[in-house]
Amino acid sequence: MSGPFDLSGKVALVTGASRGIGKAAADALAAAGADVIGVSASIEPGARAYRCDFADRDAVHELADAIRRDVGTLDILVNNAGTIGRAPAAEHDDELWDRVLEVDLTAQFVLTRELGRDMLARGSGKIVFVASLLSFQGGITVPGYAAAKHGIAGLTKALANEWAGRGVNVNAVAPGYVRTDNTQALQDDAVRFEQISARIPAGRWAVPEDIAGAIVFLSSPAADYVHGVVLPVDGGWLGR
């Protein structure tokens, strides 16, 4: 394989890789030639897999140390691990808020800071965050998630401003409504599912593979001049 999307010889780390968007991204990066390392809270540890609870700050630091020790400097980091907690804002307690912000924002920054340093020292690397439509909108009954995903959009731009001139691309994809575990409650709510489906110009919810192609693009040489972008992959939702 050769060309602008060829990832042969590149080493990629994908968090939240055991299912959904993370698994699809890992499979797509591997198909493009990358050597993929998967991380999640539930994955079976192995030669190319690490377990990490992203709600545990110490565990995130330990993961970064293990990657440096076992792998060295990454070529690609895909920050996909995440969680969601649904409760009306007036009932959204501190514990739920803290957990969502820790997993969906703070852990993403900590891991990127720790592994990104080595990319900066080498002068090259690709970092892709998984943002959300709720990086642009507020959602309903997910104030912690919306705050975290707005934070991811801002973090993407902030890091790109500092790191673009040092050879490291930092971008994000913003998936629309995707059939994953995180959206199962919406899929099971017949009224909300119909309301959401009717608003999507593409006429359907995404599947994880729909998002994976954009992640491969942002990880590839084709995106060498792309910095600080939050790329919607939403079936036209935000354009409506």
Side-chain angles (χ1 to χ4, degrees), residues 131-209:
S132 169
L133 288 181
L134 298 193
S135 297
F136 305 96
Q137 300 176 320
I140 299 171
T141 72
V142 287
Y145 184 82
K149 292 301 186 179
H150 273 73
I152 287 295
L155 180 60
T156 298
K157 297 170 187 178
L159 294 178
N161 286 342
E162 294 190 34
W163 294 1
R166 300 176 65 183
V168 177
N169 299 70
V170 185
N171 294 289
V173 294
Y177 286 91
V178 187
R179 290 182 177 271
T180 66
D181 293 349
N182 270 3
T183 61
Q184 194 60 55
L186 293 176
Q187 296 177 63
D188 292 342
D189 183 331
V191 174
R192 286 288 289 136
F193 181 81
E194 178 56 33
Q195 290 172 338
I196 291 167
S197 300
R199 192 187 182 284
I200 301 172
R204 65 174 178 87
W205 286 45
V207 294
E209 290 75 16

Side-chain angles (χ1 to χ4, degrees), residues 79-102:
N79 286 299
N80 169 72
T83 189
I84 194 166
R86 298 183 184 277
E91 301 163 21
H92 205 86
D93 63 33
D94 291 357
E95 182 179 359
L96 181 56
W97 173 272
D98 289 346
R99 177 176 175 78
V100 171
L101 267 291
E102 185 69 33

Side-chain angles (χ1 to χ4, degrees), residues 18-19 39-45 50-53:
S18 62
R19 60 185 184 271
V39 181
S40 84
S42 60
I43 203 167
E44 285 300 318
Y50 294 81
R51 181 175 289 175
C52 181
D53 178 1

